[in-house]
Amino acid sequence: LLKKCDAVMIFSMDGREHLKQATPVLKAGKRLFISRPIASSVDDAVAIFKLAAETKTPCWASSQHRFSAGFSGMRDHPEVGKVLGCDVYGGWAVNAPEADQFTRPLHSIETMYAIMGPGVVSVTCASTPTTELITSTWKDGRVGTYRGIKQGAVKYSATVFGDKGVSTAGIYGHGVPVNGVVPTTDKYVGYEGLAIEMAKFLKGGPPPVSPAETLEIFALMQAAEESKAKQGATVPLKDLSKLIGP
């Protein structure tokens, strides 16, 4: 099949299988998109991007939440201005299997990156039966949080703090707020934002999310697990991009 196609999309839900599935694709030099998560472990994520670098094959992965207009549009929102911080919230599946530990927070962590951009240097994590609270500090001093909701009503959105104002973000699938009002009757886009970026990539465009940024997100989630194990201690991020070479 690889001889008969120009590019490949992996949408299997079990991240533990992605390294095995991606390896022949990358060795064949076929452009590759992997639906989130790129892998179920840091080691596998590094291995995929390392092979992509060695074979010089464009490869990326992303949550569809990253390209939802109500989130991505907050980075340059006129009512917010320059983003100084954000508080993101979304669901946290308490009963998810261990293999999905990097899947549970991924929608919201990618939302945070869509709004804030990369540059996290340290993380703390507080974990209770009702909430998983991950606090990330950027190298320029900005702070972003992710509230993983374990009990009660679940909604995917954020509050964004800027140099011009403070605003709630849109909700998943809808546009940015206007005069503080979140639209809910506009066109629901769902996967459309991600599909547009995938189409650009599959037609020869650059990956819209760099390997370095995706690996930073994995380093953040790894640091959050370490912080939780250390009763909320501050944990610096590892630079995983060094492991994949230049």
Side-chain angles (χ1 to χ4, degrees):
L1 183 61
L2 282 171
K3 296 178 181 180
K4 299 180 179 180
C5 68
D6 300 311
V8 174
M9 299 176 289
I10 294 176
F11 277 91
S12 54
M13 296 301 294
D14 190 341
R16 293 171 297 181
E17 300 296 317
H18 287 176
L19 175 58
K20 180 176 68 176
Q21 294 165 345
T23 296
V25 178
L26 295 172
K27 286 184 176 180
K30 303 294 184 177
R31 285 178 164 258
L32 176 62
F33 170 79
I34 302 176
S35 182
R36 62 92 191 169
I38 190 169
S40 63
S41 71
V42 168
D43 289 345
D44 280 7
V46 169
I48 289 172
F49 281 128
K50 185 174 182 180
L51 182 58
E54 290 172 350
T55 59
K56 295 181 172 57
T57 305
C59 171
W60 66 292
S62 179
S63 160
Q64 69 271 21
H65 283 228
R66 176 184 284 269
F67 298 104
S68 182
F71 302 148
S72 60
M74 298 307 296
R75 187 182 288 196
D76 300 308
H77 196 289
E79 297 172 26
V80 173
K82 179 182 178 182
V83 175
L84 303 178
C86 70
D87 295 335
V88 178
Y89 46 90
W92 179 280
V94 177
N95 296 320
E98 189 64 22
D100 289 337
Q101 65 172 323
F102 288 136
T103 303
R104 289 177 292 195
L106 195 54
H107 283 321
S108 295
I109 297 296
E110 292 227 30
T111 296
M112 186 169 69
Y113 271 71
I115 296 170
M116 297 275 286
V120 174
V121 292
S122 65
V123 170
T124 64
C125 179
S127 181
T128 75
T130 65
T131 307
E132 198 82 2
L133 185 64
I134 298 173
T135 302
S136 304
T137 301
W138 269 249
K139 59 186 176 183
D140 59 6
R142 295 180 301 153
V143 175
T145 66
Y146 160 56
R147 174 181 291 270
I149 302 168
K150 297 176 179 177
Q151 291 184 16
V154 173
K155 184 178 182 181
Y156 287 86
S157 190
T159 300
V160 185
F161 305 90
D163 64 350
K164 293 182 180 179
V166 178
S167 176
T168 183
I171 59 175
Y172 173 69
H174 295 280
V176 295
V178 179
N179 296 322
V181 179
V182 176
T184 57
T185 58
D186 57 340
K187 177 186 175 183
Y188 179 80
V189 295
Y191 274 81
E192 185 175 329
L194 176 61
I196 290 170
E197 297 301 322
M198 288 168 57
K200 293 177 183 177
F201 169 75
L202 296 173
K203 290 180 178 181
V209 184
S210 70
E213 184 165 332
T214 297
L215 288 176
E216 182 179 308
I217 290 172
F218 268 70
L220 186 158
M221 293 188 291
Q222 183 183 56
E225 292 295 314
E226 293 178 18
S227 174
K228 181 165 58 174
K230 296 177 180 177
Q231 290 73 51
T234 300
V235 176
L237 256 66
K238 299 174 182 176
D239 186 358
L240 299 178
S241 63
K242 291 181 178 179
L243 301 177
I244 65 174

